[in-house]
Amino acid sequence: MAATTSNDLICFTNCFLPQEDGSLIEKDLWIDERRGVILDAQRTFFLRKERPNVIIDLGGNILSPGFIDIQINGGFGFDFSVYEGDDQIYRDGLKLVAERIVETGVTALVPTIITQEQALYPKLLNLLRPWSPPHAAHLLGWHAEGPFLQMSKRGAHSPALIIPASKGFETFESIYSPENLAEAEDWLMSGDTVHNTVGVRMITAAPEVEGVMEAINEASKRGICFNIGHSMATTDIATAAVRNGARCITHLFNAMPQLHHRDPSIIGLLGASPYLSPSTSSNFLPFPSAIISALNASIPSLPITKEASIDHISEAFDEIKTPPQTPMLLAEQAHQKSRLPTGKSIARPGSAAITAIPLGSRQLSESELNKDVTTIPFDRPFYEIIVDGIHSHPNSVRLAYSAHPEGCILITDAMKILDPHLQDGVHDWRDGLRFYKEGDKLYLDGTTTLAGSVVTLDKCVRNFVRFTGCSIGQAIKCATYNPARCLDIENKKGTLRAGADADLAVLDHHGNVLSTWVMGKMVWARK
């Protein structure tokens, strides 16, 4: 194919394109380098009567949408949760991460901040508005993980900063600031963003914490992706949170009750039927403030490890080792409470009285109440999973993916020490601590205490293929299309649809990154 006129069209040929169903097809891809978008080749050729000026032969490799990391705490020496009082220093840190991370195939990320001093939220969330530095990955917006978390599942979050949402969504506004929780369009328009900027906001909170359940629906209506995380929620509470608008589960398996056959809790949502069962279809939900009281009353009796003060350096790890049969409230009790008429309460020895109230702002309609329970639909949430072999065992990863492949999202949950070029050995951290790096594992220096991992998203993709036995195309989907769907941006990111941003990663068939393209321009290539 020869170009007849000079233009800004590029054709990638001799390549395999990942499809939205996880398959790979051999096909050319056309992009407009000037506008930074993917083109409909047929329409461009027949209507515009143009051929690409540049043809790039990819030698049979994979041309993937760029990876999207929706949970990352920092990298390359910069921590998104640390603000030193200088806006420019903070933005320089953001720019550094965006410029360096493209080497791992990531073309878009959602910077995550863990629980902060309340006064810092308005400043940090404003600094984390959508931003696309030149020749770097897109910073899509912010992910606030906390402060409305369950104390016993706090991980690295400071206990002194964890609070309830006593006034529901009003408390969310007072913490994050109303302008950061405005309607999605208004939030974007008020920032220094260009037209058609893709911007997202995420909140991770525990639905059983006082006031959180009541806030989920309002947050969702404002275009915020609400995640369940750092929680001790029972199955009924987790189900109600999803019905109220919760869209995703934060780092599955970590900082939540482990799977129990009588009450599978948050993890069990992956196995939920597409129709509600009698135990979860009730119009009533145990009142969150009573649940949290009952949970807190039982937590002090749990054993705390001797290394609790250092064992939670990884944000996702639990500080308090809760037994496998958590959540604390038995499924039988939850089922009984869910059948209570409004205003009635029950009490058991040593527990708080639990009152039933109508289900948040998502009450069943009269027609739904009159239907057989098997006709009430239920959409399972997306779920994030850290595929480093440390936070979740490979068998657990495969079980989750087998149960709900369409909801699987690969994340790194990486800390500031993330750097694919960082050598194994001892490194300084902060507060006088030092770490020993061994592959993707971090240990507190001089101990065998795991302090997290430094896995990159491209390695998560490769690990995922090994852990689950899925194809490389299916693994790519979990790092591109699935996170884009969760964030409701699949028309612009995470896809090869015509009109989407030309954010691309060239991979070999093992998942190794060969080059990365952002808005139609190559920003990194393997030497």
Side-chain angles (χ1 to χ4, degrees), residues 31 34 45 47 67 97 158 209 324 343 364 408:
I31 67 171
R34 179 181 60 83
F45 180 77
L47 295 184
F67 298 151
V97 175
S158 171
V209 166
L364 298 181
C408 184

Side-chain angles (χ1 to χ4, degrees), residues 15 17 75 89 307 447 527:
C15 56
L17 307 184
I89 290 176
E307 298 172 328
T447 76
K527 295 178 181 179

Side-chain angles (χ1 to χ4, degrees), residues 113-128:
I113 60 171
I114 64 171
T115 301
Q116 301 287 312
E117 293 281 354
Q118 294 183 20
L120 276 179
Y121 278 105
K123 167 64 72 175
L124 284 178
L125 299 188
N126 185 65
L127 286 169
L128 289 172

Side-chain angles (χ1 to χ4, degrees), residues 258-461:
Q258 298 311 292
L259 190 70
H260 188 274
H261 59 285
R262 283 193 292 275
D263 188 350
S265 185
I266 301 165
I267 298 170
L269 292 176
L270 275 61
S273 166
Y275 300 100
L276 292 178
S277 66
S279 65
T280 56
S281 63
S282 170
N283 190 31
F284 304 107
L285 175 74
F287 187 62
S289 62
I291 293 291
I292 194 68
S293 297
L295 289 173
N296 287 337
S298 57
I299 284 168
S301 63
L302 293 174
I304 300 177
T305 61
K306 293 181 180 179
E307 298 172 328
S309 61
I310 57 176
D311 192 44
H312 63 234
I313 293 170
S314 171
E315 179 278 323
F317 288 154
D318 296 338
E319 178 179 0
I320 295 178
K321 303 300 183 183
T322 52
Q325 65 269 24
T326 54
M328 298 302 188
L329 300 181
L330 297 178
E332 179 183 357
Q333 294 178 351
H335 296 332
Q336 290 176 353
K337 291 191 292 285
S338 70
R339 297 192 183 100
L340 286 174
T342 305
K344 299 294 184 181
S345 63
I346 58 172
R348 288 182 173 80
S351 67
I354 299 175
T355 304
I357 63 168
L359 171 62
S361 57
R362 173 61 177 93
Q363 297 186 35
L364 298 181
S365 66
E366 190 66 30
S367 60
E368 286 177 315
L369 286 170
N370 291 332
K371 288 181 181 179
D372 184 275
V373 292
T374 58
T375 66
I376 300 174
F378 179 75
D379 293 327
R380 292 176 291 177
F382 291 92
Y383 59 96
E384 306 170 351
I385 194 161
I386 308 169
V387 192
D388 58 1
I390 302 165
H391 285 80
S392 300
H393 190 278
N395 293 3
S396 298
V397 174
R398 188 166 191 261
L399 279 171
Y401 183 65
S402 299
H404 186 23
E406 295 303 310
C408 184
I409 296 173
L410 307 187
I411 61 166
T412 62
D413 201 24
M415 299 181 292
K416 78 170 194 176
I417 205 168
L418 171 75
D419 184 343
H421 300 290
L422 190 68
Q423 298 298 310
D424 286 357
V426 178
H427 300 273
D428 290 329
W429 182 243
R430 61 186 178 198
D431 301 325
L433 293 176
R434 305 183 80 196
F435 288 88
Y436 180 79
K437 177 181 179 294
E438 182 182 298
D440 292 330
K441 298 179 180 179
L442 293 179
Y443 300 94
L444 192 70
D445 188 28
T447 76
T448 57
T449 300
L450 278 173
S453 74
V454 288
V455 71
T456 57
L457 198 54
D458 59 319
K459 187 162 187 179
C460 286
V461 169

Side-chain angles (χ1 to χ4, degrees), residues 5-141:
T5 59
S6 178
N7 54 40
D8 296 305
L9 305 187
I10 297 176
C11 171
F12 295 96
T13 191
N14 188 18
C15 56
F16 288 85
L17 307 184
Q19 302 301 291
E20 294 174 3
D21 64 358
S23 62
L24 295 176
I25 63 170
E26 189 172 7
K27 186 179 179 181
D28 293 351
L29 184 77
W30 291 22
I31 67 171
D32 185 323
E33 182 184 17
R34 179 181 60 83
R35 293 191 294 137
V37 297
I38 296 171
L39 299 174
D40 181 327
Q42 295 282 337
R43 184 178 179 85
T44 304
F45 180 77
F46 287 107
L47 295 184
R48 290 173 52 179
K49 302 188 183 303
E50 289 186 308
R51 295 185 179 184
N53 191 50
V54 176
I55 299 174
I56 299 175
D57 188 329
L58 292 181
N61 287 306
I62 297 168
L63 182 61
S64 167
F67 298 151
I68 304 172
D69 194 346
I70 68 173
Q71 179 139 0
I72 175 171
N73 302 293
F76 310 98
F78 182 72
D79 190 329
F80 299 135
S81 294
V82 175
Y83 176 70
E84 298 177 340
D86 188 311
D87 290 8
Q88 190 57 52
I89 290 176
Y90 192 86
R91 284 182 70 86
D92 288 346
L94 292 175
K95 184 171 181 285
L96 171 68
V97 175
E99 290 173 340
R100 295 284 304 276
I101 204 166
V102 294
E103 178 182 345
T104 68
V106 172
T107 58
L109 64 150
V110 184
T112 302
I113 60 171
I114 64 171
T115 301
Q116 301 287 312
E117 293 281 354
Q118 294 183 20
L120 276 179
Y121 278 105
K123 167 64 72 175
L124 284 178
L125 299 188
N126 185 65
L127 286 169
L128 289 172
R129 286 182 179 275
W131 184 32
S132 297
H135 313 296
H138 304 279
L139 299 159
L140 296 179

